[in-house]
Amino acid sequence: YLPETDPLTLALGAGALLLILLLRRVNPRIPGALVAMILSILAATIFGLADKGVAVVGDVATLMPTFGLPDVGLGDLTYLVTGAVGIVFLAVSLLLRDTYTSALGADPQTARLAGEYLTWFIPAMALQFAMVAMGAALRGTGNVKPGTIVATATVILNMMLAPILIFGWGTGVPLGVAGAAISSLVAVAVGVIWLATYFIKPSAYLHFIPSQWVPQFPLWSQMLKIGLPAGAEFGLMAVYMVVVYS
C-alpha cells in the first residue's frame, strides 16, 4: 500500500513518533505521546490538513447517546447464545465437579484424580463453545478452511503435549492425570486465539461487536423453539451415558 500513502499523513505520523522518542530520551517523565497528540491536533487545525488528505477523527458528539438495547437479529443471537451457554457450562460444571466425581468415583483415589482432571478439562470444554461458534460463523460465510485447519492443528498439538505433560518428558515434572487435561486446555486455547484472528483483522468480513452481547431473551425463546426438538437426540444420549456409566 506504499504507493497509496499520503505524504502529509506519513510526515505527520513520522514527526509524532520522532517527537515521542526524543522526549523519552530527554526526560522520561514527560508524557511524549500526549505532547505529540496535542501538537498533531494543532498542526492539523492551523494548516488545515484535513482538507489536504490527512484523515482526522472529525466531529465528536457532545451529548451521550440514547440509552437502549442494540438491534440484534436472530442470526446474530445464534453465536451470542453460544458464548453465554459456554459461561454457564463453565460455572455449573466447576461448582458440581466434586459432587460429580464423589458420586461416580469407585473409591476416594479415583474421585480425587477425576477431580484433578476436570479442574483443567472443564475450562477446555468451555472454550470449545467459543471455538465452535467462530468456526460456525466462518462456515456461514462460505469460509470452511480455517475451522478445519484449526481443529486439526489443535488435535495434533494436544497429542504432542499430552506425553510431555503427563510423563514430564523434557521437563522432569510429570503432572499425571492433570497433564492430560492441561494439554487439552492449551490446545483449545491456541485454537480459540487462532480463530479469533479471522475476526479482528481490519479486512475481516466478520467482526466482534461487544454492543451486541446484551442478552435478548425473547429471541432466545424463538431459537429454543427451533433448537430444542433437534437437540433432543443429544439430550437423550446424555441421559443414556449417565445411566450406563453410573
Side-chain angles (χ1 to χ4, degrees):
Y1 299 99
L2 287 177
E4 303 175 8
T5 302
D6 181 74
L8 286 176
T9 303
L10 179 61
L12 187 64
L17 180 60
L18 290 175
L19 179 60
I20 293 173
L21 296 176
L22 178 62
L23 291 177
R24 180 177 298 178
R25 179 176 292 273
V26 173
N27 189 344
R29 294 186 177 182
I30 299 177
L34 179 61
V35 173
M37 181 187 70
I38 294 174
L39 292 179
S40 298
I41 293 174
L42 290 175
T45 303
I46 295 173
F47 299 106
L49 299 182
D51 298 329
K52 299 178 181 179
V54 178
V56 296
V57 174
D59 296 332
V60 179
T62 58
L63 300 175
M64 291 290 291
T66 304
F67 178 79
L69 296 176
D71 184 16
V72 183
L74 184 59
D76 298 322
L77 258 295
T78 303
Y79 311 112
L80 298 179
V81 171
T82 306
V85 172
I87 295 173
V88 173
F89 168 82
L90 175 63
V92 173
S93 298
L94 289 177
L95 183 64
L96 300 178
R97 176 195 59 201
D98 293 335
T99 303
Y100 174 78
T101 55
S102 299
L104 296 183
D107 52 66
Q109 176 70 1
T110 302
R112 183 183 64 81
L113 292 175
E116 291 181 5
Y117 181 82
L118 291 177
T119 299
W120 298 98
F121 190 68
I122 289 174
M125 292 297 96
L127 285 177
Q128 282 276 16
F129 284 88
M131 190 171 170
V132 170
M134 289 188 288
L138 291 171
R139 287 197 303 272
T141 64
N143 194 359
V144 182
K145 185 183 294 184
T148 304
I149 294 176
V150 171
T152 304
T154 54
V155 172
I156 296 174
L157 180 60
N158 193 355
M159 294 169 57
M160 295 172 60
L161 289 176
I164 296 175
L165 297 178
I166 294 173
F167 304 111
W169 291 358
T171 64
V173 183
L175 299 177
V177 172
I182 293 173
S183 64
S184 299
L185 176 59
V186 172
V188 175
V190 170
V192 170
I193 296 173
W194 190 350
L195 278 178
T197 60
Y198 289 91
F199 294 79
I200 61 179
K201 296 177 182 177
S203 59
Y205 181 74
L206 298 174
H207 294 278
F208 296 120
I209 305 177
S211 61
Q212 295 186 355
W213 295 356
V214 180
Q216 295 198 22
F217 297 106
L219 284 177
W220 287 25
S221 176
Q222 296 180 34
M223 294 175 59
L224 288 174
K225 290 177 182 178
I226 299 174
L228 281 179
E233 175 186 356
F234 296 98
L236 292 174
M237 186 181 300
V239 174
Y240 168 79
M241 293 180 66
V242 169
V243 172
V244 169
Y245 286 104
S246 297

